[in-house]
Amino acid sequence: MIIDLRSDTVTQPTAAMLEAMMKAPLGDDVFGDDPTVNALQERIAAITGKEAALFMPSGTQSNLCALMAHCERGDEYLVGQNAHTYRYEGGGAAVLGSIQPQPLAQNSSGEMALSDIEAAIKPIDCHFARTRLLALENTWNGQPMSLAYLEQATRLAKKRGLATHLDGARLFNAAVAQVADGDVFASVRKIVDNFDSVSVCFSKGLGAPVGSAFCGSRDLINRAHRWRKVLGGGLRQSGLLAAAALHALDHHVERLADDHALAQRLAQGLQGIPGLNVRSAKTNIVFVDVTDQRGPALLEDLKNNGVLATGLIGLRFVTHMGVDAKGIDHAVACIRRFMLGQIGQSSLNAGHSSVY
Ligand SMILES: *Cc1c(COP(=O)(O)O)cnc(C)c1O
């Protein structure tokens, strides 16, 4: 049995999810008549409090369609230096959208300083790209962003005439972590309320095999719809996949709290082990810095013991519905044994770790 903590994208559909997929009424979504896709789009639009939504093959395509719907050729978006929509999407906005990113420094909570945002907005002048959009990401490294910051940043953007987009790949994790009165969907709306658009992933902690959604005004969704087709994302009987996402919205949202508890269990189990600096997030991601350069050797040793994670020096462990407390305890025991045992021989590898 492999305990796969590389990402929450590795989940397998449950038997109940597969059954929902098999039963889903299907049509041709390029003609707009797949009833299950339409139901999902209405559902996620209602949950996020937006006018409309579009089912997307991936979070990357969803964000790209968002950027292309908000910006035109020669426009620019303000984005975090380490944000997924800048750093981890292959330069798609520039390559395919002729949109210039303006990356800005972020603090450890993923926030760009409001003064930096303000200073980066270009004057209307033919020397400059037209600053059109502010893009944020929540959760940030597994941490829900503060509602106060989201409010301030979106207010500033609005004041300066910028549109706002939230890369909410793990929006539901943020909502569960910040829930008040037990109403997760109210928590979702509180987070996205001030944004013009939001992208959410069904294929991460929610446990669907494929799919994301882009949500926003009807007009914005119409523009994104065109770009989705241009990018090859017009799918046919995609209700098969939308059914999995609908099932996830019905059954897998509240249980994200279980993933968060498992991440806490992992973080607590690793506390105090010499050579480790554990940075536990409030959701389902735990970062562990191996301070004595044995990170790559530890990863290798874990792999030999059936535990998968990502990273080199800073290791990343992500919990999800495919792991349980027993698996986490096994991972903790393996890490403890390795760190307290022989010095690993592996040398430090330079490079960049992947984020999925
Ligand atoms: C995973 C992820 C995406 C992209 O999702 P894919 O479906 O893998 O393309 C975008 N943004 C963030 C923050 C993510 O974690």
Side-chain angles (χ1 to χ4, degrees):
M1 160 105 179
I2 300 291
I3 296 146
D4 193 343
L5 303 171
R6 289 173 303 168
S7 178
D8 46 10
T9 55
V10 301
T11 55
Q12 299 277 327
T14 62
M17 180 179 276
L18 285 170
E19 198 184 323
M21 293 168 75
M22 299 289 279
K23 280 195 195 143
L26 305 177
D28 187 326
D29 183 52
V30 172
F31 290 114
D33 62 20
D34 186 300
T36 309
V37 170
N38 291 338
L40 172 66
Q41 291 176 165
E42 278 166 34
R43 181 88 194 282
I44 191 67
I47 288 171
T48 56
K50 304 298 176 202
E51 257 171 33
L54 202 53
F55 187 44
M56 292 284 186
S58 70
T60 299
Q61 189 170 114
S62 187
N63 282 325
L64 179 56
C65 284
L67 296 172
M68 292 175 77
H70 281 294
C71 302
E72 290 175 13
R73 184 171 192 220
D75 289 352
E76 75 169 2
Y77 66 112
L78 309 182
V79 62
Q81 187 77 54
N82 291 309
H84 206 281
T85 46
Y86 169 62
R87 192 181 169 102
Y88 296 103
E89 296 184 0
V95 175
L96 299 160
S98 300
I99 302 162
Q100 166 171 289
Q102 168 63 72
L104 299 175
Q106 294 165 285
N107 66 16
S108 61
S109 307
E111 301 169 355
M112 297 168 262
L114 297 181
S115 53
D116 287 353
I117 293 174
E118 186 102 49
I121 300 172
K122 317 286 185 291
I124 310 281
D125 177 309
C126 64
H127 290 84
F128 302 110
R130 289 183 305 186
T131 314
R132 281 291 304 137
L133 177 73
L134 174 67
L136 298 180
E137 178 177 325
N138 192 12
T139 58
W140 177 257
N141 280 344
Q143 208 69 34
M145 290 191 86
S146 98
L147 292 172
Y149 176 80
L150 295 182
E151 217 274 309
Q152 290 160 5
T154 51
R155 178 148 32 92
L156 168 62
K158 224 151 280 180
K159 194 179 90 192
R160 297 296 308 268
L162 307 188
T164 49
H165 172 69
L166 182 66
D167 176 0
R170 296 188 175 89
L171 171 66
F172 288 95
N173 293 88
V176 165
Q178 291 175 325
V179 72
D181 307 327
D183 188 346
V184 179
F185 293 134
S187 175
V188 166
R189 279 190 291 281
K190 202 183 264 176
I191 293 168
V192 304
D193 205 27
N194 295 315
F195 286 89
D196 295 308
S197 63
V198 57
S199 173
V200 298
C201 284
F202 302 117
S203 56
K204 296 200 165 159
L206 291 182
V210 171
S212 284
F214 176 56
C215 314
S217 71
R218 171 65 56 196
D219 183 51
L220 195 63
I221 295 304
N222 287 344
R223 274 181 279 156
H225 183 257
R226 174 181 162 74
W227 289 125
R228 187 186 68 172
K229 184 69 182 136
V230 171
L231 295 169
L235 305 180
R236 301 295 177 172
Q237 281 71 50
S238 41
L240 199 64
L241 301 171
L246 272 171
H247 180 85
L249 287 174
D250 283 336
H251 301 285
H252 295 169
V253 173
E254 317 244 316
R255 63 150 310 285
L256 289 172
D258 302 345
D259 301 346
H260 300 178
L262 282 183
Q264 283 304 313
R265 188 182 182 100
L266 177 67
Q268 274 156 22
L270 299 179
Q271 281 309 334
I273 297 180
L276 298 185
N277 179 19
V278 182
R279 290 178 284 137
S280 101
K282 291 206 176 63
T283 62
N284 67 331
I285 304 182
V286 179
F287 289 93
V288 179
D289 297 324
V290 184
T291 55
D292 61 5
Q293 309 199 347
R294 287 189 293 164
L298 170 58
L299 261 192
E300 192 57 31
D301 184 73
L302 283 176
K303 195 168 165 190
N304 294 336
N305 285 290
V307 179
L308 304 181
T310 59
L312 289 170
I313 307 151
L315 307 188
R316 191 183 81 150
F317 300 86
V318 187
T319 57
H320 52 77
M321 52 194 291
V323 290
D324 58 12
K326 210 168 128 229
I328 293 299
D329 293 347
H330 174 66
V332 169
C334 291
I335 295 167
R336 178 179 296 276
R337 194 167 55 220
F338 178 87
M339 292 308 294
L340 298 181
Q342 300 248 296
I343 301 287
Q345 296 304 307
S346 178
S347 60
L348 194 69
N349 286 319
H352 301 273
S353 62
S354 304
V355 173
Y356 302 100

